[in-house]
Amino acid sequence: QKEVEQNSGPLSVPEGAIASLNCTYSDRGSQSFFWYRQYSGKSPELIMFIYSNGDKEDGRFTAQLNKASQYVSLLIRDSQPSDSATYLCAVSVNYGGSQGNLIFGKGTKLSVKP
Amino acid sequence: ETGVTQTPRHLVMGMTNKKSLKCEQHLGHNAMYWYKQSAKKPLELMFVYNFKEQTENNSVPSRFSPECPNSSHLFLHLHTLQPEDSALYLCASSQDQGTDTQYFGPGTRLTVL
């Protein structure tokens, strides 16, 4: 069974620090990787996607992908209390009739302390 | 968030009731999805429709019945549910099924008594 693993946390960081969220996946053929943010009681909201090895930056967010290690991470610089949420890692599957569908991790709960 | 809407936002039903969840997307997408989100568990894909055709049924019990009359609307018909079906039901859409980004609706919080 294809899986996406995340540390459930909670990950607690002080305001202004860098928060580092990690995700590993089992399907070596996965091609697309997504980070969603989900506030309590709300639906997931897309933050970033990454397709190629290396880093991708968007404002305070940087996604990092290492396909050889089957590892994707999200860095949040200058963390703010408003970043406190659960962060979901999603990975596309690449087999059979489910090709292109997403598998989600359980999410990492981030708490940014003022 | 307004690109994908869901109604109702909250639903309480008994095990013998029949109800329907509705999803509408205003993004011109061709693929629509139903997910179930339970506490302490990852998002579970239930059904996928691409160009109104069902392309995925992820071993979902028959008490859940999807309907997709057109590319903009998706329904989930519910009947004789169990208390363990209580969860947040999320609808999502993407340009096409595949590696395109999925956008989620606000969800329906379902409680089965």
Side-chain angles (χ1 to χ4, degrees):
Chain A
Q1 177 145 352
K2 307 300 180 181
E3 293 185 339
V4 175
E5 299 287 342
Q6 293 182 258
N7 187 324
S8 61
L11 173 65
S12 184
V13 301
E15 184 175 355
I18 295 175
S20 178
L21 305 162
N22 305 314
C23 172
T24 58
Y25 59 95
S26 61
D27 183 3
R28 187 167 289 278
S30 293
Q31 297 294 323
S32 304
F33 307 86
F34 303 84
W35 283 100
Y36 285 84
R37 177 175 62 198
Q38 187 172 23
Y39 292 113
S40 180
K42 301 294 186 182
S43 62
E45 170 193 11
L46 180 71
I47 296 177
M48 291 190 70
F49 58 86
I50 185 167
Y51 300 145
S52 304
N53 275 331
D55 295 359
K56 179 181 179 183
E57 187 175 319
D58 184 0
R60 295 187 296 113
F61 299 96
T62 299
Q64 299 175 318
L65 175 61
N66 183 328
K67 290 185 179 179
S69 300
Q70 296 175 242
Y71 175 92
V72 59
S73 65
L74 179 70
L75 300 178
I76 306 174
R77 289 182 299 282
D78 188 23
S79 295
Q80 301 297 309
S82 59
D83 295 326
S84 298
T86 296
Y87 289 80
L88 306 177
C89 173
V91 175
S92 67
V93 298
N94 192 37
Y95 62 93
S98 300
Q99 189 158 355
N101 291 337
L102 297 182
I103 295 180
F104 285 80
K106 292 183 180 181
T108 298
K109 187 171 184 178
L110 173 66
S111 177
V112 180
K113 303 295 186 184
Chain B
E1 185 172 318
T2 56
V4 182
T5 58
Q6 289 186 243
T7 55
R9 297 291 302 273
H10 300 273
L11 178 62
V12 179
M13 58 187 290
M15 291 193 290
T16 58
N17 292 157
K18 290 184 179 182
K19 297 288 185 183
S20 296
L21 310 184
K22 178 183 176 182
C23 175
E24 183 174 358
Q25 58 95 1
H26 311 274
L27 301 170
H29 289 167
N30 299 310
M32 296 186 76
Y33 309 77
W34 279 117
Y35 287 91
K36 175 183 178 182
Q37 189 174 36
S38 305
K40 309 293 186 183
K41 296 177 72 174
L43 275 166
E44 301 172 60
L45 179 65
M46 300 175 71
F47 302 102
V48 182
Y49 278 82
N50 200 33
F51 291 94
K52 301 188 301 178
E53 299 297 321
Q54 186 179 127
T55 58
E56 183 91 16
N57 177 338
N58 201 20
S59 302
V60 180
S62 60
R63 58 186 183 270
F64 295 91
S65 175
E67 178 189 1
C68 187
N70 55 61
S71 292
S72 298
H73 294 85
L74 185 63
F75 295 88
L76 187 62
H77 304 298
L78 316 171
H79 64 99
T80 59
L81 295 191
Q82 305 299 310
E84 60 264 29
D85 297 322
S86 299
L88 180 67
Y89 288 84
L90 291 159
C91 174
S93 73
S94 65
Q95 185 61 54
D96 292 293
Q97 182 180 5
T99 54
D100 288 305
T101 303
Q102 294 183 24
Y103 296 91
F104 285 85
T108 295
R109 174 67 63 183
L110 173 67
T111 302
V112 182
L113 301 177

